[in-house]
Amino acid sequence: MSTTVTFVTPKAPAPPGQPDISYAPDYAKWQARAARRLKEGNLPATLPEGYPAQLTGDLVWEGDTVADTYDWTYVLSAEQLDEIDQAVVHFKGLGLSLGHLTAETFPLPNLHGELRRLSAELHNGHGFFVIRGLRVDEHSREENIIIYTGISAHIAAQRGRQDHKFNGQAADVVLSHIKDLTWSQNNGSIGSPAYTTDKQVFHTDSGDIVSLFALETSAAGGASKLASTWRVYNEIAATRPDLIHTLSQSWDMEVFEKADKQYTERPLLFHFPATESTPERVELQYGRRYFVGFGALPRSPNIPPISEAQAEALDTLHFLGEKYCVNTDFQKGDIQYINNLAIFHARDGFTDTPEKRRHLLRLWLRDPENAWPTPKVLKYRWDQLYGGVTPEAQVLPLEPFIRSAGNKGR
């Protein structure tokens, strides 16, 4: 019998007028909604103007076959691990705060070229890779954060702001912990599956690159799944072009942090025509909970409910993600990097034990040298992430906390 958890957090109540949809996707409801809408008819039969019938290239892959042509795991050698250890000693000797970690203060003269090649793979290749072999148990928590942040600085120099305060004080929090905190005193405040053992459905994070470092894996379950949004796009474009219209039109997306307006209006899917220097691209940016709520943060009744078309589009993205995903076999000591504009990700539910508790660290990154164009409507969000982040104000917490966007008590 499987001990893997799927969903344990109670369903968030839906606001008036919301379609019958929740954070936990329901395959039967998706199929019934699709059949009902197709029967009703009057759906666009062609793609929005300018959108491609099919995308091509290394970013179009399927989980069942991608391993035949792409080895996404970069295994560190003993010499490279020694170089990393020397960089830790070097950085600690500088007496600087963790926010000062850069490719210069964490020197990796031999590994640097490989890490730059891997950054190019993120942006111009298959869109993901895993670095394997870090010796987590040989280092303190602070040293593991130094190693993770230092290596990442060679791949993408900019770290994104994941929270604007820490311990009640203004701060640029650039590192967060992904861990089950439902056993803590803040249990009733959790509004994000990141702090539970629940399955996380397919979604993107914020920014250009999302990275995760496994300090420890779970006793059972918790598989990390990635899917090519370009492959999913191709499927939708070929079979349901009306949903490309839906995804590329404006949605009312909830803002869970304190703001003047508790929702923002923007598309989920963006198209960039080819230029002299860049190929044609589509970019996807969304999280399901911002439209249906989760746990202690249900969708606000003060925001317009989503439409039936939008409900179908959310389920279509998730179930096609499941169809075409790859399991990266995430292990203790692995760092996973993904192009957050072209790959979306999910996590299976999991079971912890007192001896083995899943614990990941997360960075949101940007490589100015290789970065894709930012959709105009998202520039405000990119400014929130990357604008004005200084070494002095950066906080990289050593212990887990519930960030404001997932915290009812924010």
Side-chain angles (χ1 to χ4, degrees):
M1 184 181 74
S2 173
T3 57
T4 303
V5 173
T6 302
F7 296 101
V8 295
T9 302
K11 177 181 174 180
Q18 183 86 338
D20 183 13
I21 186 172
S22 64
Y23 182 80
D26 186 309
Y27 186 86
K29 289 181 180 179
W30 171 50
Q31 293 290 283
R33 177 174 282 116
R36 185 171 63 250
R37 295 191 64 244
L38 285 169
K39 185 178 179 180
E40 290 170 355
N42 296 319
L43 301 176
T46 59
L47 292 166
E49 185 176 354
Y51 275 74
Q54 296 281 281
L55 292 158
T56 60
D58 286 345
L59 271 171
V60 181
W61 50 260
E62 297 182 11
D64 289 345
T65 56
V66 64
D68 297 342
T69 56
Y70 177 50
D71 181 2
W72 61 79
T73 306
Y74 186 90
V75 181
L76 295 166
S77 68
E79 293 77 15
Q80 290 168 331
L81 289 167
D82 288 343
E83 183 174 73
I84 290 166
D85 286 347
Q86 292 165 15
V88 173
V89 173
H90 175 84
F91 178 78
K92 292 175 75 173
L94 298 175
L96 298 171
S97 67
L98 299 182
H100 288 83
L101 278 158
T102 65
E104 290 69 41
T105 62
F106 193 84
L108 298 170
N110 297 310
L111 187 54
H112 174 79
E114 286 293 275
L115 298 179
R116 295 307 300 148
R117 179 185 66 80
L118 289 170
S119 176
E121 179 65 43
L122 275 185
H123 294 86
N124 306 310
H126 294 80
F128 73 101
F129 64 87
V130 172
I131 291 177
R132 176 158 294 165
L134 289 168
R135 302 179 287 216
V136 172
D137 292 337
E138 295 182 15
H139 295 280
S140 67
R141 175 68 57 77
E142 183 180 52
E143 287 172 345
N144 278 312
I145 289 175
I146 290 171
I147 290 168
Y148 175 36
T149 309
I151 290 173
S152 298
H154 291 262
I155 294 166
Q158 289 181 273
R159 291 186 285 275
R161 188 186 283 110
Q162 299 188 46
D163 211 335
H164 58 274
K165 62 181 181 180
F166 186 70
N167 287 339
Q169 303 296 315
D172 294 336
V173 182
V174 297
L175 178 135
S176 60
H177 296 248
I178 310 300
K179 190 176 184 180
D180 175 31
L181 298 178
T182 56
W183 49 268
S184 74
Q185 61 182 2
N186 294 318
N187 189 356
S189 297
I190 294 175
S192 167
Y195 310 112
T196 72
T197 61
D198 286 63
K199 176 185 178 75
Q200 277 189 287
V201 303
F202 274 93
H203 65 286
T204 65
D205 281 22
S206 293
D208 295 73
I209 300 166
V210 58
S211 171
L212 295 168
F213 177 29
L215 295 179
E216 185 58 272
T217 55
S218 57
S224 176
K225 295 179 175 180
L226 310 180
S228 160
T229 57
W230 284 25
R231 178 62 187 91
V232 169
Y233 172 89
N234 284 351
E235 180 91 350
I236 300 173
T239 60
R240 289 294 303 276
D242 60 291
L243 293 180
I244 300 297
H245 283 265
T246 300
L247 291 166
S248 61
Q249 292 165 355
S250 188
W251 293 52
D252 296 324
M253 180 175 175
E254 186 152 4
V255 177
F256 288 118
E257 297 178 80
K258 288 184 177 178
D260 294 335
K261 184 179 179 182
Q262 283 308 123
Y263 67 99
T264 185
E265 297 148 84
R266 68 163 180 85
L268 308 192
L269 186 71
F270 305 89
H271 175 241
F272 289 87
T275 68
E276 289 185 4
S277 58
T278 61
E280 183 174 35
R281 291 168 172 154
V282 296
E283 300 178 5
L284 180 72
Q285 279 280 285
Y286 87 108
R288 186 179 177 101
R289 74 183 183 96
Y290 294 94
F291 305 101
V292 301
F294 179 87
L297 289 175
R299 185 168 175 87
S300 170
N302 299 319
I303 302 174
I306 67 172
S307 68
E308 287 289 329
Q310 290 173 332
E312 186 190 352
L314 287 176
D315 279 344
T316 300
L317 288 173
H318 173 76
F319 286 112
L320 289 180
E322 290 274 15
K323 179 179 179 179
Y324 292 120
C325 73
V326 66
N327 179 347
T328 59
D329 186 31
F330 209 29
Q331 300 177 13
K332 182 176 180 175
D334 283 0
I335 307 178
Q336 176 176 282
Y337 295 88
I338 69 173
N339 180 334
N340 190 53
L341 296 170
I343 306 291
F344 61 163
H345 60 285
R347 177 196 77 198
D348 281 352
F350 63 92
T351 301
D352 281 340
T353 63
E355 300 77 28
K356 196 168 171 62
R357 293 189 178 276
R358 189 179 195 268
H359 188 175
L360 311 182
L361 303 177
R362 182 178 69 190
L363 292 169
W364 289 342
L365 303 166
R366 178 176 171 84
D367 180 3
E369 181 181 332
N370 289 318
W372 285 16
T374 304
K376 288 182 180 178
V377 73
L378 288 178
K379 286 193 182 299
Y380 82 95
R381 178 60 179 149
W382 259 238
D383 287 343
Q384 289 176 342
L385 294 172
Y386 303 110
V389 176
T390 65
E392 293 76 19
Q394 285 183 44
V395 174
L396 292 86
L398 299 186
E399 296 299 329
F401 67 101
I402 303 172
R403 69 187 189 96
S404 298
N407 190 343
K408 183 181 180 180
R410 66 193 184 282

